[in-house]
Amino acid sequence: MEPVNIIIIDDHSLVREGIKQLLELDGDIKVIGEAGNGEDGIELIKTTNPDVVLLDINMPVMNGLQMLQKLKEQEIKVKVLILTIHNEIEYLAKAVEIGINGYVLKDSDSDVLKKAIFTIYEGETYIQPNLAPLLNEKISIQEENAVLNDLTKREIEVLKLLAEGLFNKEIAYKLSISEKTVKNHVSNIFRKIEVFDRTQAAVFAIKNNLVDLF
């Protein structure tokens, strides 16, 4: 299996070096470039075409949120994982609004960071689970009781496991069904509760007391 190619955009060289050493230990992730601000980061993305970008928020010249906005304006398609100290709703909500694939705090352990990278690489969204409730203020779900009644028993089971952070393959194993069936259930769930990704579905589950994060 080819390693996941990433670039790290953070203004602290010691932080970049530490992250690089942690992520490259097992050989399944390769750091192919580094930058110290958003302006240089955009140029680096254009020249390296990474699988995933690890992006800090606080940086000189152009910060992470400004860089995200520029990527959107220039229609540069790349998978971005915010790695930051900020756990405030304002930063998370703004990043989600602009468009990110993941959001993880810098005090997380390496296993969480690697899970986030692989989740994003596989085309899904990863928001650190303890941050998901913060998105409640930004997600409006109408007629929630009626929507819940529209979900089948199996769909509720899948939604609960999805909200707990399980991959489709893990859900399939746990419920003794095929991965294709899980994907179909997930698509139906998204349509019924009117969300567009796993993070929003997880927030829906949390708001409706389908899952307990603690």
Side-chain angles (χ1 to χ4, degrees):
M1 179 179 174
E2 292 293 321
V4 178
N5 291 324
I6 72 167
I7 63 173
I8 303 172
I9 305 175
D10 189 297
D11 61 323
H12 293 99
S13 58
L14 286 177
V15 172
R16 296 198 304 268
E17 183 60 32
I19 293 172
K20 179 179 179 180
Q21 290 182 10
L22 281 173
L23 294 180
E24 291 189 333
L25 278 176
D26 298 326
D28 47 8
I29 294 175
K30 182 179 180 181
V31 177
I32 59 172
E34 302 176 27
N37 63 68
E39 191 172 274
D40 292 342
I42 290 176
E43 295 306 312
L44 186 61
I45 289 170
K46 292 177 180 178
T47 57
T48 59
N49 191 31
D51 296 315
V52 176
V53 176
L54 262 60
L55 177 63
D56 188 20
I57 290 181
N58 293 342
M59 294 185 294
V61 184
M62 181 188 294
N63 67 41
L65 295 180
Q66 292 170 332
M67 177 181 160
L68 281 172
Q69 191 63 49
K70 286 291 184 182
L71 291 174
K72 186 175 182 180
E73 291 171 0
Q74 297 180 25
E75 298 184 347
I76 300 173
K77 305 295 184 183
V78 65
K79 295 172 181 175
V80 178
L81 171 62
I82 293 286
L83 182 61
T84 180
I85 62 171
H86 292 293
N87 61 1
E88 301 92 339
I89 179 61
E90 292 80 10
Y91 288 97
L92 175 57
K94 185 62 177 178
V96 170
E97 178 187 338
I98 298 173
I100 55 167
N101 303 94
Y103 197 101
V104 172
L105 298 180
K106 283 186 174 180
D107 60 3
S108 303
D109 60 38
S110 59
D111 289 340
V112 171
L113 180 56
K114 292 189 74 171
K115 181 174 183 179
I117 290 171
F118 291 126
T119 299
I120 288 171
Y121 177 68
E122 292 174 4
E124 300 181 7
T125 302
Y126 186 94
I127 304 294
Q128 191 166 316
N130 63 308
L131 296 178
L134 296 177
L135 292 178
N136 287 348
E137 299 176 30
K138 296 296 178 179
I139 297 178
S140 175
I141 302 174
Q142 300 177 345
E143 300 179 354
E144 291 176 350
N145 290 334
V147 170
L148 275 175
N149 290 335
D150 285 341
L151 296 176
T152 66
K153 181 180 178 181
R154 178 64 87 187
E155 286 169 349
I156 289 176
E157 290 176 332
V158 170
L159 178 56
K160 286 180 179 179
L161 295 174
L162 180 155
E164 291 174 4
L166 272 66
F167 295 112
N168 286 350
K169 185 180 295 184
E170 295 171 321
I171 295 174
Y173 177 79
K174 199 169 186 70
L175 298 179
S176 299
I177 57 179
S178 71
E179 189 173 353
K180 181 178 180 181
T181 299
V182 173
K183 289 180 180 179
N184 289 336
H185 283 315
V186 171
S187 295
N188 289 335
I189 291 167
F190 285 7
R191 175 177 54 80
K192 289 181 179 181
I193 67 176
E194 298 181 352
V195 300
F196 301 100
D197 61 40
R198 298 172 83 90
T199 299
Q200 292 180 342
V203 172
F204 177 92
I206 294 165
K207 285 188 67 176
N208 286 278
N209 301 313
L210 295 180
V211 64
D212 186 359
L213 287 178
F214 305 101

